Amino acid sequence: SITLAGTDAANYSISSGQTTTANITAKTLTLSGLTANNKEYDGTTVATISSYGTLSGVIGSDSVSLNSASADPDFATASVGSSKTVTVQSLALSGDDAGNYTIGNETTTANITVKSLTASASASNKVYDGSTAATVSLTLSGVVSGETVTSTNSSTFSDKNVASAKTVTVNSITLAGADKDKY
């Protein structure tokens, strides 16, 4: 219906049944409570999601749910850091009213912590010199392929006296190399 108004409205008429066109676009939904898992450095940007939370913005009792099976969560970079951005791409909606909604990429944050390495020690025999100083070679296990991490150490025999099968203690290990800050 169309109603005319104004001082001179009575002097005019308008036929009803006029039509035109316009668009109804899908409403964008967001996720409340999206949470990513922290991870240990592994050289990749792959992230995992601990909770997708809930959809925000669904109107009334519309039937819409998140189909997270196709989700692709990734950290912005593979480097170690706190509160790193995690973007979840390829989210999909399902349900009878899903066609009325859309959802874009969602973001949250998580940490990538330094990776723990395992060091295997091999002590060298020595000729008595009056000290407890020991020479130990370390083999590092767990370094991501293609990365450079080396080590130095400070090691000592249990005492300075001559004996077989003496205990050698690695007192400290210092990492070096281009990628040492990831470990």
Side-chain angles (χ1 to χ4, degrees):
S1 67
I2 301 172
T3 305
L4 297 175
T7 308
D8 299 313
N11 297 329
Y12 298 92
S13 69
I14 191 163
S15 60
S16 60
Q18 300 295 316
T19 62
T20 187
T21 61
N23 300 328
I24 298 176
T25 59
K27 181 176 183 186
T28 301
L29 301 178
T30 58
L31 290 174
S32 294
L34 176 65
T35 309
N37 292 315
N38 296 330
K39 76 171 191 174
E40 184 178 83
Y41 173 77
D42 65 3
T44 72
T45 59
V46 174
T48 57
I49 301 300
S50 58
S51 173
Y52 283 94
T54 58
L55 285 173
S56 294
V58 175
I59 296 173
S61 61
D62 278 1
S63 173
V64 181
S65 58
L66 181 67
N67 180 357
S68 60
S70 62
D72 182 21
D74 286 303
F75 281 93
T77 66
S79 61
V80 171
S82 298
S83 298
K84 296 179 62 73
T85 300
V86 175
T87 302
V88 183
Q89 302 175 53
S90 304
L91 290 169
L93 299 172
S94 59
D96 292 342
D97 300 304
N100 295 323
Y101 297 92
T102 186
I103 189 164
N105 295 340
E106 293 284 322
T107 61
T108 187
T109 61
N111 303 329
I112 297 178
T113 58
V114 294
K115 182 174 178 150
S116 296
L117 298 177
T118 301
S120 299
S122 175
S124 298
N125 297 329
K126 77 172 194 174
V127 174
Y128 175 78
D129 65 2
S131 77
T132 60
T135 301
V136 172
S137 292
L138 294 177
T139 302
L140 299 175
S141 300
V143 175
V144 172
S145 179
E147 295 195 349
T148 303
V149 181
T150 59
S151 66
T152 57
N153 67 81
S154 169
S155 303
T156 54
F157 281 96
S158 57
D159 61 51
K160 66 178 183 159
N161 300 320
V162 172
S164 295
K166 292 187 70 82
T167 299
V168 175
T169 302
V170 178
N171 300 309
S172 66
I173 300 172
T174 303
L175 296 178
D179 300 301
K180 69 178 174 61
D181 293 336
K182 300 171 187 174
Y183 300 88

